[in-house]
Every structure is written in structure tokens, then in C-alpha cells.
């Protein structure tokens, strides 16, 4: 009888732990069993960098195609590992991140290239360096490394400068604090962080206060966010892949068309608001800023026609050639045996990395005439 | 009978004596060899459901793969974990040295501080329990959460100190709890013996409690080898101002899809841990020869 209270308490604790575990486990899908469940693994946190997928999810384009899509944010998981192991069926990453895997024998393949231009820039403050159009000898250049540094290395080499990069954190404090001359910044993300930073009391930095070198204006712009799948899974689920691609193209078309908000910082029927409601990893203002910048990378031009929207996701072989040649020269994992991987990357052909048949088949068939009928309801 | 003639019988007896001493080591080596053979031939991949690209091979291997969508065949050569290790031996040893500098110092300091806390808890009973509880609570936070927090605090200005602090914190609690248990578990007759010899409380503390705490201390030291290795590895993964150290190089390899390198560093960390454990076990064998755990079974 003395042992009863102890047994009772430990039994209750165990039962409550089991209840918590059961609550966390995925529940039964109620009702609809016709929707195919797929998972999409993102490269980074929930932000407008992936606005096309969020638009397709929130506005119901995936459901129209018979898919139940779960979008998983990145940052801690490797998206390459997630798709290879089967945890996710679709993933998005930079082409320069995908190619080393393919060169080492992985069965992944890219099926759409949503980002037509590179969003990488290097930024310096005019207050510190004066007005500059290029990097000069002796100036420190920063990058986050881990696969983001190839364009910078190629750019510095094209200027004849030494290819020494300083490691940069994920905020812009090193640039703003003066410890770094030139910092890497994505047009849609870190550049916005600088523009939101205070130059002096109450006054923010503007583009006129900054020297910005856009990698897409140079010869060394590389391909960035693509959509990739495991080719073995894709070969057995071709209809699912095509359905996902159709809905994603429609999602990106809507996201690019509605990227400009009526008023920055105010919620409305725009992509930034949609992404902010789906994932508030950054502020509404920043999501809207990011959406307007990403749209410039996905579709060229301000007045975009419907046929331009149908070209979203196009895979261009000449862009691939630039990416391949830079990566084959500069790929590094910090080891002496990289030479073998670089040689393998150099031998990858366009069709080793990109499988265009799905996109060629579906992109014109996607009906993009009725986009205005989809209004984002907050 | 020919088999058991005198010279043969002596050889058989000697063989059985030698075999008795080394049989566990031989079985172990055979098992390791079996795993490596399964791994290199690809059987392990089939068992675990991994493709040849997901799990690198221990030695160089060339294989062909067919693209399921296009039907194209490509030949791929995987360098192999062991071959990679030998090709990059210098870099790996350098990074191991950087990590060990923080690991060993943190491990020893953590052990010393932990033992000191246990001493404090034993000598000053009123405050002692509180100190131990605080330590246990502090170390209950998972290292994966503690490491970035400490890196944020002073990791950019003093990366070595951040690594050291993490190892010290994680090693302290285990040592403190075990040492406290060792210091306060007295066999009844030992206490009586001290009384019989009219020992002062200081003498009985030094001559009875301290040696009695040694077995528990060694238990904690053995556990702390793994804890310290994990802590320093994770702390280096989250460091962003340095580019050296096993955790950092592991993360760079992992981020740039160089799985062979990542596995090589994992193996190196394991080997370092095993060597440290063996050293502690050897010291334990000499230091507490009198303890029941050191009896030959």
C-alpha cells in the first residue's frame, strides 16, 4: 500500500507523456482521400523567396491539381538530403548546390528553373569607400560561404584580384559596423536589411548611399533557385510531377503579378501579405520587399504579358554553361581531393542536371488568363 | 592416442591459454571486418535502403548508375572514406588538434570543477544540495540549444573560450553528481574502523571518503568522454567566425555535399573518443586496483 502513490504518480506521468506524443503524431486525413500527399522542402526559412509555392498552396492551385502539399521550411535540414532520403518529394535549392551531388552519383534532377537571374550582389557604403563601380585591390569582401561564394570568386578573378573572401554572418552588422568593405547581399534579402538600417537618427540608408554590384549584370551570374526531384521517384510518379509543376507555374505567375503591394507595410491583396500570413519569419514589410525583388528575378520586365508568364521556370542551356564552368573551377569543400569532384562537375552535361520534358509539356498548357479571379482573403 | 601425445598436449594447452586471452579481441576484429566487407560490396546499402550516392564507401569504388528518366548511364567514382582520410591527413590532424585543445582542457577543468562542487556539497550540507540541483538543471538543456546561445554571447570575440565553456558546463554536472554519490556512500564498517582508530574528521575524510569516491569519479570520467566530444563538436558547428575545428570542417563538408569528408570526420571524432576512453580505463585499472570492478572474472 505504501508503494501505491509512487506507482500512481509514475503511471500518470507516463500516460501524460504518451498523450503528448500522440497529439504530436500526424493524425488521420479527414474526408478527402483522393488528394495525393506530397512534401516540398524549402532551402531556407518561410519567406517570399519561395512565394510561388506559398501562393499555389494558399490559393488552392495544388488542390485543383489533386495534390495535398506540405511545405517544410529549411534552415536546419539539408534539402538535398530530404529529397534523396524520401522525406520530401520536391525540393528547391541553388543549381550550384545540386550539381556536386549529381556529380557524385545522386539520382536527383532539376525539372524547372524559376529564378532566371542571379540575385547575388556585393554592397559597400559610399560613406566608407566613396563611389565605386568595382572592387579595388586590398578591399575585404565577405560571403557566407557554404556554397554561396562561387560567383564572387569568379568575379574577383575576372578583375585580376586575389580571391580571398572573409566569412560573413547572416546579418549585415559587419558591413554597417565597418569591419567589412564589401558584403555579400541577396537583392531580395540582405540588401533590404541594409535599406532598413539607420544611417543616422531617423534616416535610413537608400540605394544612393550604397555601391551595389549586381552579379546578374556581370558575366559570372549563376543559376539559383530551381525545383528538383529524385529521378527514380519521378519516373514512377510522372502525373504527380506534372500536376505539381502546373500548379507551381500558376503559383509563381500569380505571385509575380501581385508582388507589388498597394502600400508597403500594409496588408492587402499582394504576395508579401500572403507569405507573411503563411510564415512570419520576417516582418510584413520585409516579405513585401522581398516579393517585389524576387519577381524581378523570375520574370523579366515590368509589363509582363501572359505568354511571358507561361515561360516561368524555363531552363536555359547557356546559363547552365556559365554555372558549370564557374563551379568546375571553384567548387571547394576545403579538401585536397576536390579535384576529382571538380572534374566530375566539369563533365556534367545540361541533360545530366536538368530534365526538361516535364516543363516542355506543361508550361504552355497552364491557363494563366484567370489569375485576377484569385483574390487573397486575409 | 596420437592426438594427445605429450608434446601435442602441451601445444594444445598453450594454444588454449593464448586463445583465452585474445578471443574477445579476435571476435571483435572479425565483426569489424565483416561490417567493412558488407559496406564495401554494397550489401549494407541494400540492408539500410540507401543508394550508392547517399552513403559513401570506405574505399574507392566505381559504379554506374542509370538515370530513371532519360535512361542515360554515367560512371561515378567515390573516393572512399579511408582513402580520403589518408589524402587529407594533414588537414584532418590539424583540425583534430584544434578541437583537442579545447576538448582536453575543458574535460579536465570540468572534472576538477565538478569534483570541487561535490566536495562543497559534502562539506557544507546546507548549500550543497542547492548547488547540485542548479548544475543538473543547467545541463538538462540540450547541448544543441546551449551551444548557439553561448556562441552568441561571446563566440565571435572569443571562439576558443566559447568552446571551452560549453565543454566545462556539460562535464561538470555528471562529475559532480557521481562524485557526490561516491563521497557520501560509506560502507558501514569503514566508518566504524575510522572511529576505532580515533581518526579526526579531517583524517577520516582524506583517508576514507576521498579514495572511496574514486570509482564513481572514474565512472563519470568515462561518461564525460562522449559528452565532451559531443559538446565541442556541436559548439564548433555553430561557430561562424572561425573556419577551423572538427565541427566546423564537418559542417563545411556537409554543406558542400561532400559526404565522404563528412563521414571521415565522424570516424575521426569516434576514434578520438575511443582513445580517450581507453586512456581513462587504463588509468582507472592502475588507480583503483583494490575495487571490485577490477577483479579478474
Amino acid at each position: 500500500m505504501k508503494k501505491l502513490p509512487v506507482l500512481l504518480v509514475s503511471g500518470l506521468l507516463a500516460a501524460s507523456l504518451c498523450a503528448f506524443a500522440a497529439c504530436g503524431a500526424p493524425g488521420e486525413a479527414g474526408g478527402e482521400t483522393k488528394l495525393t500527399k506530397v512534401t516540398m522542402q524549402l532551402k531556407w526559412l518561410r519567406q517570399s523567396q519561395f512565394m510561388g509555392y506559398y501562393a499555389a498552396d494558399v490559393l488552392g492551385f495544388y488542390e485543383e491539381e489533386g495534390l495535398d502539399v506540405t511545405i517544410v521550411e529549411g534552415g536546419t535540414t539539408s534539402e538535398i538530403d530530404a529529397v534523396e532520403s524520401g522525406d520530401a518529394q520536391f525540393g528547391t535549392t541553388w543549381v550550384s548546390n545540386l550539381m556536386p551531388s549529381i556529380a557524385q552519383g545522386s539520382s536527383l534532377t532539376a525539372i524547372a528553373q524559376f529564378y532566371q537571374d542571379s540575385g547575388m550582389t556585393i554592397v559597400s557604403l559610399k560613406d566608407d569607400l566613396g563611389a565605386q563601380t568595382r572592387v579595388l585591390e586590398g578591399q575585404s569582401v565577405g560571403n557566407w560561404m557554404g556554397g554561396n561564394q562561387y560567383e564572387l570568386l569568379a568575379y574577383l578573378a575576372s578583375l585580376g584580384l586575389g580571391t580571398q573572401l572573409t566569412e560573413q554572418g547572416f546579418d549585415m552588422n559587419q558591413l554597417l559596423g565597418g569591419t567589412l568593405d564589401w558584403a555579400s547581399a541577396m537583392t531580395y534579402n540582405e540588401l533590404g536589411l541594409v535599406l532598413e538600417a539607420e544611417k543616422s537618427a531617423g534616416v535610413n540608408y537608400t540605394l544612393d548611399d550604397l555601391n551595389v554590384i549586381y552579379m546578374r549584370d556581370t558575366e559570372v551570374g549563376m543559376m539559383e533557385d530551381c525545383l528538383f526531384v529524385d529521378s527514380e521517384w519521378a519516373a514512377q510518379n510522372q502525373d504527380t510531377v506534372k500536376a505539381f509543376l502546373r500548379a507551381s507555374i500558376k503559383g509563381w505567375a500569380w505571385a509575380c503579378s501581385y508582388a507589388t503591394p498597394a502600400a508597403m507595410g500594409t496588408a492587402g491583396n499582394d504576395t508579401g501579405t500572403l507569405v507573411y500570413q503563411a510564415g512570419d519569419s520576417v516582418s510584413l514589410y520585409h516579405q513585401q520587399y522581398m516579393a517585389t525583388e524576387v519577381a524581378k528575378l523570375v520574370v523579366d520586365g515590368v509589363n509582363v504579358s501572359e505568354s511571358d508568364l507561361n515561360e516561368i521556370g524555363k531552363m536555359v542551356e547557356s546559363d547552365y554553361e556559365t554555372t558549370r564552368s564557374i563551379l568546375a573551377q571553384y567548387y571547394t569543400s576545403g579538401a585536397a581531393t576536390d579535384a576529382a569532384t571538380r572534374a566530375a562537375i566539369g563533365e556534367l552535361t545540361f541533360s545530366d542536371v536538368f530534365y526538361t520534358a516535364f516543363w516542355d509539356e506543361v508550361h504552355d498548357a497552364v491557363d494563366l488568363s484567370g489569375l485576377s479571379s484569385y483574390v487573397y482573403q486575409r | 592416442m596420437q592426438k594427445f601425445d605429450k608434446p601435442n598436449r602441451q601445444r594444445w594447452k598453450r594454444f588454449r591459454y593464448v586463445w583465452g586471452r585474445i578471443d574477445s579481441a579476435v571476435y571483435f576484429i572479425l565483426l569489424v571486418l565483416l561490417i567493412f566487407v558488407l559496406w564495401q560490396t554494397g550489401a549494407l546499402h541494400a540492408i539500410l535502403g540507401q543508394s550508392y550516392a547517399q552513403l559513401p564507401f570506405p574505399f574507392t569504388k566505381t559504379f554506374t548508375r542509370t538515370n530513371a528518366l532519360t535512361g542515360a548511364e554515367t560512371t561515378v567514382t567515390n573516393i572512399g572514406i579511408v582513402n580520403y582520410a589518408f589524402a587529407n591527413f594533414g588537414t584532418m590532424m590539424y583540425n583534430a588538434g584544434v578541437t583537442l585543445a579545447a576538448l582536453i582542457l575543458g574535460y579536465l577543468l570540468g572534472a576538477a570543477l565538478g569534483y570541487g562542487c561535490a566536495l562543497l556539497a559534502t562539506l557544507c550540507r546546507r548549500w550543497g544540495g542547492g548547488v547540485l540541483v542548479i548544475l543538473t538543471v543547467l545541463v538538462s538543456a540540450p547541448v544543441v540549444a546551449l551551444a548557439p546561445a553561448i556562441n552568441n554571447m561571446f563566440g565571435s570575440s572569443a571562439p576558443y573560450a566559447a568552446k571551452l565553456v560549453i565543454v566545462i558546463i556539460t562535464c561538470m554536472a555528471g562529475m559532480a553528481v557521481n562524485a557526490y554519490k561516491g563521497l557520501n556512500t560509506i560502507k558501514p564498517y569503514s566508518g566504524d574502523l575510522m572511529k576505532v582508530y580515533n581518526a579526526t574528521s579531517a583524517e577520516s575524510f582524506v583517508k576514507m571518503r576521498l579514495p572511496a569516491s574514486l570509482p564513481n569519479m572514474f565512472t563519470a570520467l568515462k561518461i564525460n568522454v562522449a559528452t565532451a566530444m559531443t559538446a565541442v563538436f556541436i559548439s564548433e558547428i555553430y561557430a561562424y567566425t572561425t573556419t577551423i575545428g572538427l565541427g566546423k570542417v564537418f559542417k563545411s563538408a556537409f554543406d558542400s555535399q561532400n559526404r565522404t569528408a563528412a563521414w571521415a570526420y565522424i570516424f575521426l571524432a569516434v576514434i578520438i573518443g575511443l582513445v580517450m576512453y581507453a586512456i581513462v580505463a587504463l588509468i582507472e585499472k592502475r588507480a583503483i586496483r583494490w575495487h571490485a570492478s577490477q577483479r579478474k572474472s
Side-chain angles (χ1 to χ4, degrees), chain B:
Chain B
M1 284 186 287
Q2 209 173 359
K3 201 173 179 188
F4 292 104
D5 278 358
K6 206 161 183 199
N8 276 335
R9 203 167 74 189
Q10 278 182 341
R11 271 194 223 120
W12 176 245
K13 274 176 124 177
R14 199 178 312 143
F15 168 72
R16 282 191 56 175
Y17 174 73
V18 170
W19 178 248
R21 307 275 303 252
I22 64 169
D23 63 348
S24 48
V26 170
Y27 287 138
F28 172 72
I29 291 174
L30 280 179
L31 183 65
V32 170
L33 277 177
L34 177 68
I35 291 179
F36 270 87
V37 164
L38 280 179
W39 193 345
Q40 184 67 19
T41 54
L44 200 65
H45 293 82
I47 294 171
L48 297 174
Q50 301 273 303
S51 71
Y52 285 1
Q54 279 178 285
L55 182 64
F57 292 90
F59 300 97
T60 313
K61 182 159 173 135
T62 313
F63 57 92
T64 46
R65 59 160 285 261
T66 320
N67 189 321
L69 288 168
T70 59
E73 276 202 9
T74 38
T75 323
V76 181
T77 308
N78 181 251
I79 295 158
I81 298 172
V82 176
N83 297 62
Y84 176 91
F86 282 122
N88 289 278
F89 197 69
T91 323
M92 290 183 78
M93 287 301 118
Y94 173 69
N95 283 296
V98 169
T99 304
L100 277 173
L103 176 62
I104 293 189
L105 187 61
Y107 176 75
L108 293 173
L109 275 181
L113 285 172
Y115 198 82
C117 286
L119 277 177
L120 185 73
T122 315
L123 292 172
C124 180
R125 270 176 207 278
R126 243 183 287 163
W127 299 97
V131 168
L132 284 186
V133 169
I134 289 174
L135 264 183
T136 319
V137 166
L138 187 64
V139 93
S140 300
V143 185
V144 189
L146 211 54
I150 294 200
N151 271 334
N152 261 336
M153 282 200 269
F154 48 92
S156 37
S157 49
Y160 178 76
K163 275 193 273 187
L164 203 61
V165 164
I166 278 267
V167 177
I168 289 177
I169 289 178
T170 44
C171 289
M172 261 174 78
M175 171 58 85
V177 169
N178 271 299
Y180 182 78
K181 185 169 142 211
L183 285 167
N184 288 289
T185 314
I186 331 158
K187 293 203 189 79
Y189 61 80
S190 298
D192 292 343
L193 191 65
M194 287 291 134
K195 274 220 170 78
V196 162
Y197 281 132
N198 196 24
T200 61
S201 62
E203 275 175 351
S204 96
F205 188 88
V206 169
K207 289 192 194 277
M208 180 185 68
R209 284 189 193 239
L210 284 187
S213 73
L214 281 182
N216 290 70
M217 189 186 84
F218 277 107
T219 311
L221 279 178
K222 285 198 265 190
I223 298 172
N224 277 346
V225 167
T227 317
M229 188 74 221
T230 311
V232 78
F233 207 81
I234 291 179
S235 167
E236 284 172 341
I237 287 181
Y238 283 107
Y240 62 82
T241 45
T242 57
T243 48
I244 49 175
L246 281 182
K248 193 72 201 159
V249 198
F250 166 79
K251 179 148 205 295
S252 315
F254 184 77
D255 282 343
S256 32
Q257 317 300 331
N258 191 348
R259 291 203 177 106
T260 316
W263 274 98
Y265 283 111
I266 291 176
F267 275 129
L268 182 59
V270 167
I271 289 172
I272 291 177
L274 283 175
V275 167
M276 278 180 70
Y277 187 94
I279 292 175
V280 173
L282 267 176
I283 297 176
E284 181 190 18
K285 210 166 168 181
R286 296 298 162 83
I288 53 171
R289 241 186 247 273
W290 45 265
H291 193 242
S293 67
Q294 305 303 319
R295 274 188 217 140
K296 282 207 190 115
S297 50

Side-chain angles (χ1 to χ4, degrees), chain A residues 161-363:
Chain A
L161 300 173
T163 50
Q164 277 279 46
L165 293 176
T166 322
E167 185 141 346
Q168 186 184 326
F170 286 113
D171 49 39
M172 294 302 275
N173 293 339
Q174 284 154 294
L175 174 72
L176 297 169
T179 49
L180 207 52
D181 290 326
W182 293 88
S184 294
M186 302 306 293
T187 55
Y188 48 81
N189 202 357
E190 285 81 13
L191 192 55
L193 286 180
V194 178
L195 294 173
E196 286 164 37
E198 282 200 354
K199 184 170 142 186
S200 49
V203 177
N204 283 3
Y205 281 101
T206 63
L207 278 175
D208 289 330
D209 298 321
L210 305 172
N211 297 314
V212 187
I213 300 177
Y214 293 90
M215 288 297 124
R216 64 177 184 242
D217 292 336
T218 66
E219 306 271 298
V220 295
M222 287 167 77
M223 296 170 106
E224 290 178 353
D225 292 45
C226 66
L227 177 67
F228 70 96
V229 289
D230 181 55
S231 57
E232 317 226 329
W233 177 85
Q236 289 159 354
N237 295 278
Q238 306 214 9
D239 291 330
T240 312
V241 175
K242 289 181 206 166
F244 188 88
L245 200 50
R246 274 193 296 265
S248 300
I249 292 176
K250 197 166 172 184
W252 278 103
W254 191 94
C256 293
S257 308
Y258 287 88
T260 317
M264 290 286 282
T266 319
N269 180 35
D270 60 271
T271 315
T273 313
L274 187 153
V275 177
Y276 179 69
Q277 301 287 347
D280 53 359
S281 67
V282 289
S283 65
L284 171 64
Y285 183 93
H286 202 69
Q287 297 282 26
Q288 288 173 326
Y289 169 82
M290 198 185 291
T292 54
E293 287 298 321
V294 169
K296 294 179 196 168
L297 301 176
V298 176
V299 279
D300 280 323
V302 180
N303 293 316
V304 176
S305 67
E306 200 180 303
S307 56
D308 290 330
L309 290 176
N310 276 103
E311 294 294 300
I312 287 179
K314 185 172 184 162
M315 295 157 273
V316 180
E317 192 156 351
S318 52
D319 291 343
Y320 167 74
E321 279 307 314
T322 315
T323 308
R324 187 189 59 85
S325 63
I326 295 179
L327 197 61
Q329 204 179 345
Y330 292 107
Y331 169 76
T332 178
S333 63
T337 50
D338 281 335
T341 317
R342 284 184 198 168
I345 289 174
E347 283 168 31
L348 286 178
T349 63
F350 179 71
S351 57
D352 285 332
V353 180
F354 289 97
Y355 183 69
T356 53
F358 291 130
W359 188 85
D360 289 336
E361 189 184 320
V362 304
H363 80 277

